[in-house]
Amino acid sequence: MTSRLFNDHEADDRIMLKKDKVEVGHWAESLEHIDEEIRMLLALEDRFLNDSALHVELLALQRENTLKSGMLYRYENAMRNAWECDDMACDTYYLNKHEKHRELYMEHLKSYRKLKSKLFSRLLD
């Protein structure tokens, strides 16, 4: 059973803010999971491949994941300011900011998946 996040009487802008906050929470949870997986990928690389170049790539991705997580948590805190918007320009600013964060998250996810596939392909060679 799912809980109801939105009420019929809520304004569209409030519903969008709630939806965006839930989405940011999912992104943060995903980045936490990616961090756990990168630690395991580093262990696999160390145990089976011992490839220093791949190890450096994994460490760089781990650092990038940490930076993205921090940026996302700061953004999540800044989202509170969007509740105070009282005009279209302010709403548009936060909408654009959210879309920029979505884009950054999706690019990071794509990089992570590419590197993970590279490691698995090397393990299977």
Side-chain angles (χ1 to χ4, degrees):
M1 178 180 230
T2 60
S3 62
R4 189 171 178 176
L5 295 174
F6 313 115
N7 297 308
D8 296 335
H9 67 276
E10 287 184 284
D12 291 345
D13 61 337
R14 298 298 179 209
I15 290 172
M16 294 303 294
L17 289 172
K18 282 185 173 183
K19 179 199 69 70
D20 288 351
K21 185 159 179 52
V22 168
E23 186 173 40
V24 169
H26 290 148
W27 297 342
E29 187 177 308
S30 176
L31 292 178
E32 289 172 14
H33 183 73
I34 287 171
D35 187 59
E36 291 173 22
E37 283 192 356
I38 291 173
R39 285 195 300 265
M40 289 184 262
L41 293 172
L42 281 162
L44 285 170
E45 182 282 321
D46 186 50
R47 182 176 295 168
F48 298 108
L49 298 175
N50 212 6
D51 179 334
S52 61
L54 187 55
H55 189 81
V56 167
E57 283 186 72
L58 285 164
L59 289 175
L61 187 65
Q62 186 178 46
R63 182 176 186 280
E64 188 65 27
N65 196 70
T66 300
L67 292 173
K68 292 278 191 273
S69 293
M71 183 179 66
L72 197 57
Y73 287 121
R74 285 189 300 280
Y75 170 59
E76 187 174 31
N77 286 332
M79 288 178 77
R80 294 181 190 139
N81 298 331
W83 286 95
E84 298 175 17
C85 284
D86 58 0
D87 63 16
M88 188 63 82
C90 183
D91 288 336
T92 301
Y93 169 80
Y94 282 102
L95 176 64
N96 289 334
K97 191 172 185 139
H98 187 80
E99 292 307 312
K100 180 67 176 171
H101 281 279
R102 179 196 320 272
E103 196 175 293
L104 291 171
Y105 168 75
M106 295 305 294
E107 287 173 13
H108 180 67
L109 195 58
K110 190 182 296 185
S111 296
Y112 165 68
R113 289 176 176 164
K114 184 177 177 182
L115 187 55
K116 185 167 83 168
S117 292
K118 180 179 178 179
L119 185 138
F120 286 152
S121 292
R122 291 280 318 279
L123 286 170
L124 293 172
D125 280 347

